[in-house]
């Protein structure tokens, strides 16, 4: 009998549902929330209200596009955490209601684990290019920057992580102070393509081991910018492409330096990248250069699977379903949790 999983993701500001049948993606629907743009960041209360409005039509649409009736579902997989509590509660509560009404099991998914396993999402008729275990994954999102050794779908070991800000958070904040808009990642990415990455130099951290730090870079960026703007109020307008390119280069260099170290010491040459920041062109190019130079076998997700999506939750649910890893109806959402 086929295994059909409905995945639900609502940890931040995207309401998403996806259907996976026997490991193959049938549909993936994402409703993004434009309401936050005016505030330069996600407003938690507005996010949960938007999730409430979106969740039923998004799930309905995902089932419709998949051509699957809800009675045919084997289980419902949902993001349990980490994320914004009010946002998570919408998806978690919906999953509970759905599972109870249909009499099917619930599968809790760690959002970060989902990002890593996004590499196993397979579309119809597609040749699978998937990493083999064990592999190293650089997980870079708005809230996390981690180097993970992935031994199996349910066995992940964090080798290093940020001790303060995440890479995406630093990009978003620098974009905000330049008045460029939110989220900063795609804007900086676009501007950086036209700028000189060596125009400005920003400080890099000196943290031992495989851990990251981005708060020093952020502070040095803000401090330098303040001085430059004092001299020339139109400084950002005149230099935004060079500022974006230099900032992006610094962040990519910081990320790749620790990743190189981890790959070298583990001897694992299968290297993947995941999370929202993996959409960044500078980072993608750096991965390709490293593959050529160091003989890495690299795995870069499709753009649609880099940011938050329910397809990654459904595929994780598919793996867990086979091991009958179900959760209880009273499982609470959690706002903070590491990969384990
Ligand atoms: O994984 P994600 O969608 O959400 C979290 O779970 O955090 O990641 C969002 C982050 C934001 O910081 C956003 O600015 C960044 O990913 N991002 C990018 C790009 N697209 C999204 N950063 C750099 N370049 C991009 N093209």
């Amino acid at each position: 009998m086929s295994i059909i999983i409905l995945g639900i993701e609502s940890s931040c500001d995207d309401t998403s549902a996806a259907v996976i049948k026997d490991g193959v993606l049938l549909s993936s629907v994402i409703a993004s929330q434009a309401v936050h743009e005016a505030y330069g960041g996600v407003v938690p209360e507005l996010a949960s209200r938007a999730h409430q409005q979106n969740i039923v039509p998004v799930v309905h649409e995902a089932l419709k596009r998949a051509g699957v009736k809800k009675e045919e579902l084997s289980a419902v997989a949902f993001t349990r955490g980490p994320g914004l509590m009010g946002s998570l509660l919408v998806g978690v509560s919906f999953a509970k209601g759905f599972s109870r009404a249909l009499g099917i099991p619930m599968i809790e998914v760690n959002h970060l684990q989902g990002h890593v396993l996004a590499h196993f999402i397979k579309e119809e008729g597609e040749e699978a290019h998937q990493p083999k275990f064990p592999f190293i994954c650089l997980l870079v999102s708005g809230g996390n920057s981690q180097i993970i050794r992935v031994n199996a779908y349910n066995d992940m070991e964090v080798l290093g992580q940020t001790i303060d800000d995440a890479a995406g958070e630093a990009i978003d904040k620098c974009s905000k102070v330049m008045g460029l808009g939110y989220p900063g990642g795609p804007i900086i990415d676009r501007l950086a393509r036209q700028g000189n990455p060596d125009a400005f130099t920003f400080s890099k951290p000196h943290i031992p081991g495989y851990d990251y730090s981005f708060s020093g870079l952020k502070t040095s960026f803000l401090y330098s910018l303040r001085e430059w703007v004092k001299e020339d109020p139109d400084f950002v307008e005149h230099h935004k492409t060079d500022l974006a390119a230099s900032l992006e280069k610094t962040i990519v260099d910081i990320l790749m330096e620790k990743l190189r170290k981890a790959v070298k010491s583990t001897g694992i040459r299968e290297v993947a990248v995941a999370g929202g920041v993996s959409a960044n062109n500078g980072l993608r190019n750096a991965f390709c250069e490293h593959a050529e130079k160091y003989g890495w076998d690299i795995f870069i997700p499709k753009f649609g699977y880099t940011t938050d999506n329910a397809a990654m939750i459904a595929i994780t649910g598919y793996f867990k379903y086979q091991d009958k890893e179900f959760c209880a109806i009273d499982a609470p959402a959690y706002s903070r949790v590491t990969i384990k």
Side-chain angles (χ1 to χ4, degrees), residues 252-263:
V252 170
D253 284 353
I254 296 171
L255 289 170
M256 295 310 287
E257 191 192 324
K258 292 292 172 89
L259 185 63
R260 263 196 317 272
K261 251 185 166 182
V263 170

Side-chain angles (χ1 to χ4, degrees), residues 11 14 111 115 140-144 168-169 171-172 183-186 189 275-277 279-281 306-308:
S11 64
D14 294 296
H111 179 81
H115 269 306
V140 269
S141 68
N144 293 276
E169 199 176 342
I171 297 175
D172 289 343
D189 194 350
V277 182
N280 181 265
N281 283 288
T306 56
T307 45
D308 293 347

